[in-house]
Amino acid sequence: MHAVLRTAVLLSLAAAAPPGPAYAAGAAALEHVSVPRTPATCSADGLCLEVTVGPANPADFGACATTTSVTATIGDPISWCYTLTNQSNQTLAWHSLSDSLHGTVFAQQAATLGPGQSLRHVLVERAAAAAAGPLQASWSASAEQARYDVDDTQPMSYVDASGEPALAMTGGFASGRSQAVQLPFAFDFFGVTTDRLCVGQNGAIEVGSTVCAVPGSMLFPSPYLNAVIAPVWMSFDPSRGSLHTRTLGEPGQRRFVIEWKDLALTFPVMEGYTFEVVIEEATGAVVFQYLSTGSGDGSWGNAGDGAVSGLQQSPGSGQMYSQFAPTLTPGKAVRWTPAVQPRHSVATTADYDIGAPRLLLPIPAMTAFAGIGISIQQPLVIGNTGNRTLDWTAGEYPAAGSALRRLAPLPAAADGPADAGRATVLRTLPSRPAQTLGEWQLPAYAMHMMPGTGVSFVDFDLRNPANRRTIMTDTGTGPGLDNISGGDFVGDDFAVQYQLDTLMDRLYRVDTLTGARTLIGWPTAANTVANERWSGAAWDPATDTFFAVTTANLNNQGCYWSGLYTIDLGTAQAHFVGPVDTGGNECLIDIAFDQGGALYALDIRTDALFTIDKATAQATRVGGLGVDANFAQSIKFDRASGTLYWLGYAQGVGFVATLDPVTAQPAVVGPTPDSQEMSVLAIATAGTDCSTPQDVPWLSLQTSGGSFAPGAPVGVYPVTFDATQLAAGEYHATICVFSNDPAYRAKPAAIPVTFTVQAPDAIFADAFESP
């Protein structure tokens, strides 16, 4: 599904993100403002900068903070406000901003700033890591856009890097592998400073990429990638040749070499491509050098005929050297040197102190033994190793894997969330352990889109996505898998998955072994807006409810509306909860529930993660994803660990990532199989049920909650194991500890409890005999 994006304030990935380019949806918002006074920090060339910071205003994320320091806890929304005033006599048109906390905030952003005018940028984020200190911010501006001067008249000085180990080239696409590479130094590329490269076997490098997969391209600039260095961008045989890197020189004067060695074209079949890119630390220059470029006989494909060569700043801007022309001749060197431009710059500081409580549970599991009729105690130990006050509560719960509660039947409702999506026939949820597949760490199921092949229903290892098994493939004449837009497991039964067909408006029960589908019915949406269709679904373990979301599209504005529903799994009847209100146009591609019943949604219009009130459909923004996410996507929680997984697709690359449910910060696990789109994620793991407290008569906590200031000693709380009413045997339960530790906001800490009740020794059962 494609989303039309709207420009908004930039939402940072995380406070702890490493320096590098900011991947925000759309352009950074630079707003002309009137300032009542000149900021205190000004440079000699006439730029003045003020940075203020404070708690973000949920009613107005564009509001500017008024203080220059902030004290916050991880998860708190923070607003950083950067205000630039031009006191020079020149009009400045291109702007770059970076700071010591976020790295590059934006680079080469266009905004006309005349003498005496001011620009403002507001960055709203959730504090993501404990850190403190002064933030060093720097804003630079110039009259002209950053560019490179090109010189192809100098002789080549080729560097042989093939003596170094070959790059593994295990990522990216099967037709052209990629490998992430970190430079020994950072360099400036069109105003963005980075030391990260994604080197493609197809003769191109994506600069600053967090997801490493370089596609082929017949376009320049390519709409599928951001910043690109392309010496010879064309289709090479992935089974031929090798790639190597080498570092030359001393710090400050180093050169980093990436060499493509003995590559061969796939069409036409042609050997003889060896070339390299050299990046210079001292000058920032990028040099293309061509040792051999084909057959030399002048046939099509020789000397770069059919290749793209140049530097790309963004999907819409770049400098081309050659396109589909035999100009990349052996012995040629093309030197790209950053053009010297008059640049104004200014730096200033602001202070921040971000902390968090940290739950300490030194006894992660409890095991007790007692005889029939005996009551004993063991300690529950809780502490705080963080630098903020820890608040906690605890309670007794059924053991993990216990059968979930049996729901009483409720009558079907004509509309509204009255029955909360429960089945109208009595349904007992089975309790089955997750069946791991071979050596797979995290078994999962999804729809896998393969261009030219069709859509396949697959199971795969979410921690190692290359491992997969095809259950069923739809080549266009099969079961219509390309229409499946949402689905999930219910309970701990991983033999059956419930799936929604968005085109035919159907609900299916699907056998996960064979892919065989049983039609349950037609869960027709409310159709309160035109072109409303199902886009995602998830099961709520807290209430045994199956929820789904819809999207609506208009040709002239793309996806603009989403609705929240519950669906009765016995009758397929859909009940409208309400329109999802995120404060703007919505495009919810999928939803997910954590083990406590909190509902999350992925919005590909604003490229953000939201929480949704499942009773009202009101949405609250968690944070931005940091990439332009489009087309098929999916999110689900691993119920065993509480980790939120994301099957993403951005810039033409499919990937698996985790999302921090507190900040929305993604962490890439790896590319999806063949780096293609995947959707309808369902994870086959059982969770600890800390959402439904039930009486555990033999287990009781003397203290059920409290607080710990930073540095306070640990607390020791008696836990009673009572065998006075138990028969001999082994009993299981869970102590769930809820807290404001950010690591446990999406899930409690679960302490498994085992109580073994022993019968008296038979020899003493009737006491001693009388003499």
Side-chain angles (χ1 to χ4, degrees):
M1 179 176 294
H2 184 71
V4 178
L5 299 178
R6 62 189 178 99
T7 301
V9 294
L10 172 70
L11 277 97
S12 166
L13 280 179
Y23 293 98
L30 291 176
E31 179 185 6
H32 283 87
V33 295
S34 298
V35 294
R37 57 182 174 78
T38 299
T41 303
C42 297
S43 63
D45 51 10
L47 288 190
C48 302
L49 178 63
E50 181 179 53
V51 178
T52 57
V53 59
N57 179 1
D60 183 8
F61 280 142
C64 193
T66 59
T67 55
T68 57
S69 64
V70 67
T71 299
T73 299
I74 290 178
D76 289 348
I78 297 175
S79 174
W80 296 89
C81 181
Y82 307 81
T83 303
L84 181 75
T85 300
N86 182 9
Q87 296 289 356
S88 74
N89 58 4
Q90 294 188 13
T91 296
L92 305 172
W94 297 91
H95 304 266
S96 299
L97 174 65
S98 63
D99 66 41
S100 57
L101 190 63
H102 308 98
T104 299
V105 179
F106 57 80
Q108 290 296 291
Q109 183 65 43
T112 302
L113 182 66
Q117 293 182 328
S118 296
L119 280 177
R120 175 169 291 165
H121 175 71
V122 178
L123 185 156
V124 177
E125 65 182 358
R126 286 190 182 271
L135 172 134
Q136 309 284 341
S138 176
W139 190 315
S140 62
S142 59
E144 296 182 359
Q145 186 177 15
R147 59 180 176 82
Y148 283 78
D149 292 328
V150 185
D151 182 5
D152 61 0
T153 65
Q154 302 302 311
M156 181 181 73
S157 179
Y158 198 84
V159 178
D160 184 1
S162 61
E164 301 295 326
L167 296 180
M169 306 306 291
T170 55
F173 303 92
S175 59
R177 292 299 184 185
S178 303
Q179 178 65 45
V181 171
Q182 183 163 338
L183 277 73
F185 54 84
F187 78 110
D188 183 287
F189 190 70
F190 286 109
V192 175
T193 301
T194 186
D195 61 357
R196 294 178 294 177
L197 302 177
C198 176
V199 180
Q201 191 265 354
N202 51 16
I205 301 168
E206 186 175 13
V207 180
S209 174
T210 56
V211 178
C212 189
V214 180
S217 180
M218 300 295 288
L219 300 173
F220 190 88
S222 170
Y224 302 109
L225 297 177
N226 195 31
V228 179
I229 297 171
V232 187
W233 199 353
M234 60 194 310
S235 295
F236 292 103
D237 185 343
S239 67
R240 304 290 296 275
S242 57
L243 278 75
H244 308 263
T245 64
R246 183 180 177 186
T247 303
L248 305 172
E250 298 299 321
Q253 297 293 325
R254 288 169 292 189
R255 293 184 297 156
F256 187 75
V257 181
I258 305 103
E259 182 183 25
W260 289 257
K261 178 78 170 178
D262 296 331
L263 270 60
L265 296 181
T266 54
F267 180 81
V269 177
M270 182 183 296
E271 299 181 350
Y273 268 86
T274 297
F275 54 93
E276 68 185 14
V277 168
V278 181
I279 301 174
E280 298 180 352
E281 181 181 19
T283 66
V286 177
V287 184
F288 299 168
Q289 300 197 118
Y290 303 98
L291 186 64
S292 61
T293 53
S295 62
D297 60 7
S299 60
W300 189 89
N302 180 65
D305 190 9
V308 168
S309 181
L311 301 183
Q312 176 174 318
Q313 178 183 0
S314 69
S317 176
Q319 291 181 242
M320 184 183 297
Y321 178 76
S322 175
Q323 185 175 30
F324 312 138
T327 56
L328 308 180
T329 52
K332 174 175 284 189
V334 181
R335 182 179 181 85
W336 303 80
T337 305
V340 177
Q341 297 173 312
R343 180 176 294 184
H344 295 61
S345 62
V346 61
T348 191
T349 63
D351 292 314
Y352 61 92
D353 180 4
I354 301 169
R358 294 298 184 192
L359 176 66
L360 173 66
L361 293 172
I363 303 176
M366 302 181 73
T367 302
F369 300 85
I372 291 176
I374 303 298
S375 178
I376 65 171
Q377 289 186 335
Q378 284 195 4
L380 171 66
V381 181
I382 297 178
N384 176 19
T385 60
N387 60 357
R388 297 290 189 270
T389 296
L390 175 77
D391 299 316
W392 66 275
T393 60
E396 311 93 23
Y397 290 78
S402 297
L404 298 177
R405 62 216 159 280
R406 187 181 178 92
L407 296 176
L410 293 176
D415 194 15
D419 69 354
R422 302 180 189 176
T424 55
V425 296
L426 194 61
R427 181 164 54 88
T428 302
L429 300 179
S431 176
R432 287 175 41 182
Q435 299 298 316
T436 56
L437 304 171
E439 297 299 318
W440 292 7
Q441 301 178 50
L442 188 55
Y445 295 76
M447 295 297 171
H448 185 212
M449 288 69 168
M450 293 293 294
T453 302
V455 178
S456 295
F457 181 40
V458 301
D459 52 11
F460 66 109
D461 186 354
L462 203 51
R463 297 300 301 177
N464 186 8
N467 291 338
R468 75 181 188 275
R469 177 180 69 97
T470 299
I471 300 170
M472 176 181 288
T473 297
D474 178 10
T475 59
T477 60
L481 298 181
D482 55 336
N483 300 326
I484 302 300
S485 61
D488 204 0
F489 292 116
V490 171
D492 294 336
D493 183 2
F494 306 115
V496 173
Q497 187 183 128
Y498 291 84
Q499 294 180 355
L500 282 170
D501 183 320
T502 188
L503 182 63
M504 303 303 292
D505 197 16
R506 293 175 175 178
L507 176 68
Y508 291 99
R509 294 178 76 254
V510 180
D511 185 319
T512 55
L513 180 64
T514 66
R517 297 186 295 171
T518 301
L519 178 64
I520 298 175
W522 292 263
T524 304
N527 289 312
T528 57
V529 296
N531 302 314
E532 182 183 5
R533 297 203 179 273
W534 301 112
S535 58
W539 176 69
D540 177 10
T543 61
D544 182 30
T545 306
F546 196 79
F547 280 82
V549 287
T550 59
T551 60
N553 292 268
L554 289 179
N555 292 333
N556 63 343
Q557 66 180 101
C559 183
Y560 72 100
W561 187 92
S562 288
L564 181 67
Y565 291 79
T566 63
I567 298 178
D568 187 310
L569 296 178
T571 65
Q573 186 175 3
H575 305 292
F576 186 46
V577 177
V580 179
D581 182 9
T582 65
N585 290 336
E586 297 82 22
C587 191
L588 303 188
I589 193 68
D590 202 12
I591 55 176
F593 282 93
D594 70 14
Q595 185 64 10
L599 174 58
Y600 291 77
L602 188 74
D603 185 358
I604 59 170
R605 186 177 179 106
T606 60
D607 295 327
L609 183 70
F610 288 84
T611 58
I612 298 179
D613 185 326
K614 58 193 179 188
T616 66
Q618 177 65 43
T620 301
R621 185 184 179 99
V622 175
L625 303 173
V627 296
D628 183 4
N630 279 316
F631 303 102
Q633 316 270 323
S634 191
I635 57 172
K636 286 296 179 291
F637 276 90
D638 168 17
R639 294 177 55 214
S641 67
T643 303
L644 178 59
Y645 280 86
W646 173 27
L647 294 182
Y649 192 79
Q651 300 173 357
V653 176
F655 55 89
V656 177
T658 61
L659 290 175
D660 187 327
V662 176
T663 66
Q665 178 183 2
V668 176
V669 175
T672 57
D674 300 307
S675 299
Q676 297 297 336
E677 297 172 72
M678 297 187 78
S679 63
V680 196
L681 174 63
I683 302 175
T685 56
T688 299
D689 191 356
C690 289
S691 61
T692 310
Q694 294 182 10
D695 182 31
V696 183
W698 51 267
L699 181 70
S700 62
L701 277 65
Q702 180 173 307
T703 303
S704 60
S707 297
F708 288 98
V714 298
V716 181
Y717 307 99
V719 177
T720 300
F721 295 78
D722 184 3
T724 57
Q725 302 295 323
L726 297 180
E730 189 174 275
Y731 298 84
H732 298 273
T734 301
I735 295 175
C736 297
V737 182
F738 300 82
S739 72
N740 60 337
D741 181 339
Y744 293 101
R745 285 188 178 178
K747 59 182 176 63
I751 302 174
V753 176
T754 302
F755 185 29
T756 301
V757 179
Q758 300 165 323
D761 194 314
I763 194 171
F764 301 111
D766 296 323
F768 291 102
E769 295 183 3
S770 300

